[in-house]
Structure formats: C-alpha cells, structure tokens
Amino acid sequence: MFNFLETDRLVVRAFTQADTGHLHALDNDPEVMRFINGGRPTSREAIETRVLPRLLHDYPCWETRGYWAAQEKTTGTFLGWFEFRPLEEHSPATVELGYRLNQSAWGRGYATEGSRALIHKGFTGLEVERVTANTMTINTRSRRVMEKSGLSFVRNFTGDWPEAIEGSEHGEVEYELTRTNWAQPR
C-alpha cells in the first residue's frame, strides 16, 4: 500500500478496494454527512460504483491520486480521508483541499494536521501554486480547520445545490492559500 505522506500521528495513504467498508460506514454517519447531503445515507452500491472510483482516480499532472485515506499511525485505525486534487487534470497549479473524518476523529486536530502536511507537500514537491477549499457558510468546524491550516477567507457565494439541505440557504464560503503567502514569515 502506497503511503503518500506521514505526520506525527497520521498515515495518509492510497485507497484500495479494501476500504469499501470504511467508506460505507463514514458516508452513513448522519453527522459526518450533514453539510454534504443533509445526512442522508449512501448505499454500498454507490460507494462501489461512484465514490471509490472517484477516490482511485489518478491525475496525469502528478501521475498519482488526489484523494487519500487517513489512518491513525499507531493503531492503523481508519479515520477518513483527505482531498488534495488538481482542479484541472493536467495542471497542478491549483488544488482543492478537503477532508471527511469519522466523528471519533473530530476535535483532535487530525484535520488540521493532515491539511498542513498536504499543503506543505504541495508547495514543496508538487508544483502547487494555490490551494483552495470551500464549505457551507454555517460549517464553522470546517472553516476553523481551513483557517488553522493557513487558508484565508476569499468570498461568500451561492452554490447550485441539486437538492437544498438545511443551511444551504446561507450559501458557501471559499478559502485559499497561495505559495507566495505560505512562504512568507508569519
């Protein structure tokens, strides 16, 4: 199994077919999915036919993936996943940062730790120039992770939700971090 990176407490690795059960459990927690689809469950078939193939996709500009399974380094416990994928297939210039972690991992700094490590890897080894992230305006936990990871608020916007979920009426927010801003002394 290919480890993309490691931090003090995390192993961020390539997904495999064996992660189907972990993904199914993650996407069936109503609180985990609250700001994604309103908390509705995801079928195992959807995990196998839509979700996992998206997570296994290789991006030509990196010759590697853009979604990574996260597990606790000492126990090997599956915690969730991180997204760090190019917005354009053939250009690593702008990437989207995202994360989806089990509730048991919330409030323990894993999302920030993994995000910071991915950002560092992107700016030092993957030719990334800009990291962007977005979430619902009311998702204060995710917004805090973005801020603690070094991203700054850019704008509010209204997304095109196929089905409105509670809170979507408040819109979404975008955050970003450029290589130039990341490299400046803090």
Side-chain angles (χ1 to χ4, degrees):
M1 188 177 335
F2 170 60
N3 289 348
F4 188 61
L5 62 83
E6 293 187 22
T7 68
D8 289 342
R9 300 181 303 153
L10 298 172
V11 171
V12 180
R13 62 163 175 81
F15 275 101
T16 69
Q17 294 289 336
D19 290 310
T20 301
H22 296 304
L23 291 167
H24 187 247
L26 181 67
D27 284 11
N28 277 279
D29 181 325
E31 280 303 305
V32 169
M33 300 302 287
R34 176 177 171 206
F35 296 112
I36 299 161
N37 69 8
R40 291 186 306 277
T42 305
S43 71
R44 187 167 182 97
E45 178 186 4
I47 297 293
E48 292 170 349
T49 61
R50 287 195 329 261
V51 175
L52 194 56
R54 177 174 48 96
L55 301 178
L56 295 174
H57 177 71
D58 286 330
Y59 289 82
C61 62
W62 285 343
E63 296 180 4
T64 191
R65 301 193 178 146
Y67 292 90
W68 307 96
Q71 61 189 52
E72 202 169 42
K73 189 183 245 181
T74 56
T75 65
T77 301
F78 179 85
L79 299 175
W81 55 258
F82 286 93
E83 169 190 15
F84 198 73
R85 70 173 175 87
L87 292 182
E88 295 181 19
E89 286 279 312
H90 298 282
S91 173
T94 301
V95 299
E96 182 171 28
L97 172 70
Y99 31 81
R100 185 175 304 169
L101 301 178
N102 288 316
Q103 280 193 68
S104 63
W106 293 2
R108 298 178 63 193
Y110 289 124
T112 302
E113 184 175 329
S115 295
R116 286 179 177 166
L118 286 164
I119 290 166
H120 181 268
K121 184 170 183 116
F123 288 145
T124 61
L126 298 175
E127 301 178 27
V128 172
E129 293 297 324
R130 179 177 178 258
V131 176
T132 184
N134 59 64
T135 189
M136 289 177 65
T137 300
I138 63 170
N139 189 348
T140 55
R141 287 183 181 143
S142 188
R143 292 179 72 168
R144 184 69 184 128
V145 168
M146 293 173 194
E147 292 163 358
K148 288 168 61 177
S149 298
L151 282 77
S152 298
F153 175 80
V154 175
R155 68 185 177 116
N156 288 88
F157 67 99
T158 303
D160 189 19
W161 290 80
E163 290 182 45
I165 62 173
E166 185 179 338
S168 62
E169 68 275 11
H170 300 288
E172 297 180 61
V173 290
E174 179 183 2
Y175 282 73
E176 77 171 1
L177 177 61
T178 63
R179 178 193 297 262
T180 302
N181 287 343
W182 176 79
Q184 291 178 352
R186 296 168 202 223

